Structures are given as C-alpha cells and as structure tokens.
Amino acid sequence: VDRLLADPERCAETLQSAVACCVLREEHQELTALERADRGLEGWGRYIAAEIDVVDLLTGRKLDLNTLAERG
C-alpha cells in the first residue's frame, strides 16, 4: 500500500508484484505490533521478525522469506 501511495502512476506495475498472504488474527496483531515498534520493518521482514512461516498453498512448500525479502 505504501508503494501505491508513494507512486500512483506505477500502480499497474506495483500490483503485478503484489503477493497476498492470509494470516490468523493473532498473527496479524503480532505483525502490526512489530511494524509499529519498528517503522523500518516492512514486507516479508515483518514475517521474519515475527517468526511466522509462510506456505505456498499451490505447492505446499514453506517459502524462503529471507530470499524474498532480499528481492524487495
């Protein structure tokens, strides 16, 4: 959302790189608390900090969040 607001002209490009992630209510609360405590924390970095595993529902494999975070 921050990228969309910062550069609305690139909306289509930004949305092409977007990834949806479903979390439990408790996980959402933890992610929100971490982000509020550290404004520099964003994207997959929040999941890494919260130690929340992310699983690709198509493959059933756990994602390597460190690699995804490096890609931005």
Side-chain angles (χ1 to χ4, degrees):
V1 174
D2 290 337
R3 289 182 191 173
L4 290 171
L5 294 173
D7 194 358
E9 298 296 321
R10 297 180 68 189
C11 177
E13 180 182 337
T14 301
L15 291 176
Q16 286 180 342
S17 67
V19 176
C21 188
C22 296
V23 295
L24 300 172
R25 180 176 289 135
E26 294 82 9
E27 291 170 328
H28 176 70
Q29 291 169 344
E30 185 173 359
L31 291 167
T32 300
L34 283 169
E35 190 173 17
R36 286 182 180 153
D38 181 354
R39 291 292 183 184
L41 202 54
E42 63 180 19
W44 295 118
R46 299 177 309 140
Y47 291 80
I48 295 167
E51 298 180 359
I52 295 175
D53 291 333
V54 177
V55 176
D56 184 325
L57 294 179
L58 291 176
T59 65
R61 293 187 332 203
K62 183 176 147 184
L63 299 180
D64 179 355
L65 297 182
N66 289 308
T67 299
L68 290 174
E70 289 173 5
R71 292 182 192 165

